Amino acid sequence: MINIEKVCRKYSISLKKVEYYDSYFLLFSDDNIYLLKEKSFDEKLFSYFERIGYSYYLKKINEDIDPYLLYLYPMDIKNNGAVTSKELIKGITDLQLKTVYEEEISEEEFENIYKTILNDIDYQMKYYLDLQDYIEEFSFPRIDYYYFLLHISLLYKIIQKARYYLDLWYQKKNLKFRKCYSIHDVSFSNFIVSESSYFLDFGNCYKDFLITDFICFYKNEALSVDMNFLFDIYQKDIFLSEEELLLLKVFICIPKKVEFSKSTYNNTVSIYYLLEYIEKTNSFLEKYEKYQEANKDEFKE
């Protein structure tokens, strides 16, 4: 646990207010705002970022010996959604372009990837089938259960789509994968735009599949932005292969699991957002597939 009083004393911060977030604190003084957090990763990562010219991170102002990280937090945060979205896409594509490499895996590893994803899809399908069976045992199910049953076919269809795209990907059996450093926490809550743009937390940053960060962004923010527009921007810099596109489609078609609580209201809201996500994803896939067909026709001409 960070001793905020000791930090303020060591770095002469005249503390006026503290705001607590999941993975960091904001310390307010008369003149500045500071971001304070635990050391959660190897700081050599930032040395590497500096070496490759990746700039989407805050520079610490504390000493290396400290068991925490202290940054000057920008005062002039811009809250324009369109600007933030574009800057965030630039932030992930810049890291991908500067760290991308190709790796050929064994057939055994390929099979393991397939089985892991397939197990996730099968688990989700079984989870919802069992939940449906449980709800249908009630003569008069409560309102959140009834709302869920009314729309459960949409849920089954999106999970079946995930299986369909996974089978297409598997049939291609391409053992070459593009990998890069991936942030794994790509959302508006972990990104700020001021004079420059920054991700706040790199605690989960490690090498992974190229498509990982866009999938993460999609799952976190699909309901708040136009993903088709942003995906077009992304594709101009990171042109995904057919196999990468199929795998991306697989993952976005596996929705977050809805777990029912005691609150009927909270459950109903969760179901509503799940249905919104499914609708957005179907629209995203439909528009993108039409775009692909149009491009094919144009190429033939």
Side-chain angles (χ1 to χ4, degrees):
M1 185 69 178
I2 301 174
N3 188 318
I4 294 176
E5 186 180 345
K6 283 186 179 179
V7 175
C8 292
R9 196 160 52 241
K10 180 172 182 178
Y11 291 100
S12 302
I13 299 171
S14 179
L15 188 63
K16 301 296 181 185
K17 184 178 75 168
V18 179
E19 288 184 0
Y20 298 87
Y21 295 86
D22 287 341
S23 60
Y24 60 88
F25 307 98
L26 287 184
L27 313 180
F28 293 80
S29 69
D30 286 332
D31 304 316
N32 294 301
I33 305 173
Y34 300 88
L35 188 149
L36 176 65
K37 60 182 297 185
E38 300 274 3
K39 276 187 179 176
S40 57
F41 58 92
D42 189 345
E43 286 185 75
K44 290 178 183 175
L45 182 65
F46 286 165
S47 299
Y48 175 67
F49 285 169
E50 191 170 351
R51 199 160 64 247
I52 64 174
Y54 182 71
S55 61
Y56 289 81
Y57 65 98
L58 291 165
K59 311 301 189 285
K60 71 171 187 174
I61 61 172
N62 63 300
E63 297 177 349
D64 291 341
I65 59 170
D66 295 330
Y68 52 80
L69 298 168
L70 183 67
Y71 309 94
L72 264 178
Y73 189 79
M75 303 282 281
D76 55 340
I77 303 296
K78 295 175 183 176
N79 292 315
N80 184 306
V83 171
T84 302
S85 299
K86 290 179 187 177
E87 284 297 310
L88 185 148
I89 292 294
K90 286 181 188 176
I92 62 173
T93 55
D94 191 42
L95 183 59
Q96 290 173 353
L97 289 169
K98 286 173 175 172
T99 64
V100 66
Y101 64 97
E102 191 172 80
E103 179 180 294
E104 185 163 355
I105 64 172
S106 67
E107 288 194 20
E108 184 181 359
E109 288 175 294
F110 181 86
E111 291 293 330
N112 286 338
I113 292 169
Y114 171 72
K115 287 175 184 175
T116 299
I117 301 171
L118 181 59
N119 286 341
D120 189 20
I121 292 170
D122 288 345
Y123 168 78
Q124 289 249 7
M125 184 63 82
K126 184 177 185 308
Y127 172 80
Y128 287 115
L129 285 168
D130 289 346
L131 185 56
Q132 181 179 4
D133 288 344
Y134 169 74
I135 295 172
E136 287 178 343
E137 289 179 1
F138 292 93
S139 301
F140 300 99
R142 65 191 201 196
I143 188 66
D144 52 342
Y145 286 167
Y146 183 66
Y147 181 45
F148 176 76
L149 285 181
L150 282 177
H151 300 94
I152 198 165
S153 63
L154 296 175
L155 186 53
Y156 292 148
K157 285 176 183 176
I158 198 76
I159 297 173
Q160 287 165 352
K161 272 189 182 181
R163 177 64 186 269
Y164 168 74
Y165 290 128
L166 180 64
D167 287 341
L168 289 180
W169 172 81
Y170 180 76
Q171 288 162 18
K172 293 186 176 296
K173 206 136 195 175
N174 187 347
L175 301 181
K176 292 182 179 179
F177 288 81
R178 285 195 293 175
K179 291 187 175 182
C180 64
Y181 270 99
S182 299
I183 298 161
H184 294 96
D185 184 8
V186 185
S187 64
F188 293 138
S189 63
N190 192 36
F191 189 76
I192 54 174
V193 177
S194 57
E195 290 183 7
S196 299
S197 303
Y198 315 94
F199 286 99
L200 298 175
D201 187 8
F202 287 86
N204 292 316
C205 186
Y206 57 87
K207 293 175 183 177
D208 207 339
F209 296 125
L210 184 75
I211 56 174
T212 300
D213 275 347
F214 188 86
I215 292 168
C216 179
F217 177 55
Y218 184 98
K219 284 184 169 276
N220 285 327
E221 304 295 350
L223 300 186
S224 56
V225 294
D226 182 347
M227 278 295 171
N228 287 94
F229 172 70
L230 294 173
F231 190 60
D232 286 345
I233 295 173
Y234 178 73
Q235 276 278 74
K236 286 175 184 175
D237 289 320
I238 309 289
F239 191 78
L240 299 183
S241 68
E242 190 175 355
E243 291 85 358
E244 287 168 335
L245 277 168
L246 285 171
L247 211 49
L248 182 145
K249 290 174 183 179
V250 171
F251 282 111
I252 67 173
C253 285
I254 305 174
K256 292 179 181 177
K257 190 174 78 169
V258 172
E259 295 190 17
F260 283 80
S261 68
K262 293 180 180 179
S263 169
T264 301
Y265 173 79
N266 289 341
N267 294 337
T268 304
V269 170
S270 295
I271 296 164
Y272 172 80
Y273 285 128
L274 172 64
L275 296 173
E276 283 286 292
Y277 178 88
I278 292 170
E279 183 182 343
K280 290 269 186 179
T281 299
N282 284 328
S283 176
F284 174 85
L285 293 169
E286 183 182 350
K287 286 179 184 176
Y288 187 72
E289 282 161 10
K290 281 182 181 176
Y291 171 78
Q292 278 186 307
E293 287 302 317
N295 275 1
K296 282 181 187 176
D297 293 342
E298 187 177 332
F299 182 74
K300 287 176 184 176
E301 292 173 7

